[in-house]
Each structure stands twice: as C-alpha cells, then as structure tokens.
C-alpha cells in the first residue's frame, strides 16, 4: 500500500481480555517495528522484524506481549490478559533495509502508521 | 547505553516567532545517526531529517534548520517564523551504526503556535 496501515485505530477492552493489533507495512519494506506511546512518554521500542524473524524483541514488557510477522508483510501484535497499564497508542513503522546486518549505514528512515489506540478499562 | 533527552516538555509561541527545540543525546558509538520526527494532531509521525555523526554541517530546509554540535552532544531544531501548522509534538531520535539498530526516541516536545 501507499503507507503503513494499522487496525483497529481504536480499541476499548476490558481488563483480562486478549487483543490483537494489526500492521500492514509499505509493500517491499523488509523491516518492521512496533513502538508504544504512553501519555507523556516518548516512543518505547517493543520489537523489530527483519523479514519474518525478530532479531530484537528486547522491548516487549512482559510475556503477555507477543508479535509475529508472516510472508514478510503483515504483522500482528498480541497482548494477552490486558492490564490497565497497557493502555497506550501502539505505533507500527516500516523501512527498507538490507537483509542481514550492515555496519555504517545506520537505521533507515521509518515510515509510521497512524497507530492503534488501546484503552483497557 | 543510548539516551535522548528533550528537556522541554511544552513550548508555546505566537505566530512568526522563532523557536528552538533542544535535543541532547548520549551514546558510546563513534558512528551514530540522529533524527527528528514531527507528530501532528493526526498522530502519524512524519520524518524531518536524518544526520550521521560525521556530518556536523548545519542543515537548512525552508523555515527549518538543525544545529548539530558533537562537543555538546546536541542536535537542536529551529523553526523560523513559526506558523500555526507547525503545532505538533516533535521527537528527536538516535540510532547506532547498524542498519538493524532501532531508533531511541526522546520524550518529545509539544509545540503550540498561536495565531
């Protein structure tokens, strides 16, 4: 697609329920990132995909959080047994990058989606 | 460890004023990259600039300019003759030398430009 598409744009759920957030990156973008933006906070890194693998998942806050990417395209972020502190805007971003690690080129420019606002009651 | 500090939480100016948004970073890498993104009320972050650590030249793009000073580990952003459309949250970010490095973001500065 023309941009990074995220769904749903808004999700209200009850504490303890599971939620799935979807990200459809720009076609051909091999790298995909999930960030979380809480009120008054910066963007907190959650997980990074290169193709279908996740070489960096160091930002996932607990084992209730998981993510997968299939076909090198769509990614789903799943939060199990949601808690009120999970309320935030979840942002997805994608970029072109070389498959494999390359030093000296730095992180590429990320194109962000509009985010999924999650509210846990 | 890498860290980005944007000490200004919120700035309010009147249209046509110049405004500078501060960004201070910490890193042990000798090669690194600095970014600025704009987040308008719609929520979608928009890329503004990417600069590598070996290029200390200031950059100007229209009303926007960036001042990179390695000596003070700062990468400040100035908007000249601000306009109401500049109202947004602005994020500074840092990455290491690898293409697989993630961006480390600051907490952002909310700029409000009043007519």
């Amino acid at each position: 697609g023309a941009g990074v598409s995220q769904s749903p744009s808004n999700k209200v759920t009850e504490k303890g329920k599971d939620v799935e957030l979807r990200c459809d990156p720009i076609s051909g973008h091999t790298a995909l990132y999930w960030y979380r933006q809480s009120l008054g906070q910066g963007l907190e890194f959650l997980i990074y995909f290169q193709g279908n693998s996740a070489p960096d998942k160091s930002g996932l806050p607990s084992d209730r959080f998981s993510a997968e990417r299939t076909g090198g395209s769509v990614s789903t972020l799943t939060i199990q047994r949601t808690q009120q502190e999970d309320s935030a805007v979840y942002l997805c971003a994608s970029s072109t990058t070389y498959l494999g690690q390359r030093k000296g080129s730095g992180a590429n420019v990320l194109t962000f989606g509009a985010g999924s606002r999650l509210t846990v009651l | 460890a890498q860290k980005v500090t944007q000490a200004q939480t919120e700035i309010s100016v009147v249209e046509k004023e110049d405004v500078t948004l501060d960004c201070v970073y910490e890193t042990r890498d000798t090669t690194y990259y600095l970014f600025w993104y704009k987040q308008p009320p719609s929520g979608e972050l928009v890329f503004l600039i990417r600069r590598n650590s070996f290029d200390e030249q200031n950059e100007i793009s229209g009303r926007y300019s960036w001042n990179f000073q390695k000596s003070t580990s700062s990468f400040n952003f100035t908007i000249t003759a601000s306009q109401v459309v500049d109202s947004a949250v602005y994020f500074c970010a840092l990455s290491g030398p690898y293409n697989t490095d993630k961006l480390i973001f600051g907490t952002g500065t909310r700029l409000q430009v009043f007519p």
Side-chain angles (χ1 to χ4, degrees):
Chain A
V4 177
S5 179
Q6 292 189 246
S7 61
S9 55
N10 273 289
K11 176 74 175 179
V12 180
T13 190
E14 293 179 349
K15 178 181 171 182
K17 301 275 190 181
D18 297 351
V19 296
E20 284 190 352
L21 307 176
R22 175 188 167 105
C23 173
D24 201 342
I26 291 174
S27 178
H29 278 195
T30 53
L32 186 147
Y33 300 77
W34 283 98
Y35 282 84
R36 178 168 73 173
Q37 184 177 18
S38 304
L39 191 63
Q41 304 293 315
L43 275 72
E44 175 190 11
F45 168 78
L46 297 178
I47 188 169
Y48 157 64
F49 286 93
Q50 192 174 42
N52 289 335
S53 62
D56 188 351
K57 49 180 87 171
S58 62
L60 294 177
S62 75
D63 58 9
R64 296 186 295 104
F65 287 72
S66 63
E68 65 174 11
R69 189 178 185 195
T70 55
S73 180
V74 172
S75 175
T76 302
L77 176 69
T78 301
I79 309 173
Q80 295 179 310
R81 304 181 304 282
T82 52
Q83 303 293 312
Q84 288 181 332
E85 61 262 28
D86 300 334
S87 296
V89 177
Y90 290 82
L91 293 165
C92 176
S94 69
S95 77
T96 56
T97 190
Y98 300 97
L99 287 177
Q101 195 175 56
R102 177 167 147 160
K103 186 171 184 179
S105 57
N108 281 324
V109 172
L110 301 186
T111 302
F112 282 84
S116 291
R117 181 178 297 278
L118 174 65
T119 304
V120 182
L121 302 176
Chain B
Q2 294 181 320
K3 185 179 178 182
V4 176
T5 301
Q6 294 180 257
Q8 304 152 307
T9 305
E10 188 162 341
I11 300 175
S12 295
V13 298
V14 177
E15 228 176 359
K16 298 184 183 177
E17 283 186 30
D18 298 348
V19 58
T20 295
L21 310 181
D22 298 333
C23 173
V24 174
Y25 62 90
E26 295 175 31
T27 181
R28 293 181 182 170
D29 292 317
T30 52
T31 302
Y32 52 90
Y33 290 77
L34 295 162
F35 300 74
W36 276 94
Y37 280 83
K38 173 183 179 180
Q39 186 178 39
S42 63
E44 205 162 317
L45 275 84
V46 176
F47 166 76
L48 295 178
I49 189 171
R50 176 180 185 263
R51 172 58 58 84
N52 75 55
S53 53
F54 296 107
D55 183 1
E56 288 192 73
Q57 285 193 353
N58 290 336
E59 173 118 1
I60 298 175
S61 176
R63 296 184 297 106
Y64 295 171
S65 62
W66 290 269
N67 185 327
F68 176 29
Q69 295 209 347
K70 283 176 92 167
S71 60
T72 55
S73 298
S74 65
F75 187 45
N76 297 337
F77 173 33
T78 297
I79 302 174
T80 304
S82 59
Q83 299 177 1
V84 172
V85 293
D86 296 327
S87 297
V89 181
Y90 291 86
F91 289 96
C92 181
L94 166 72
S95 85
Y98 293 93
N99 62 313
T100 51
D101 285 331
K102 56 185 176 278
L103 264 64
I104 306 297
F105 284 86
T107 51
T109 297
R110 179 178 299 278
L111 173 65
Q112 292 196 327
V113 182
F114 293 99

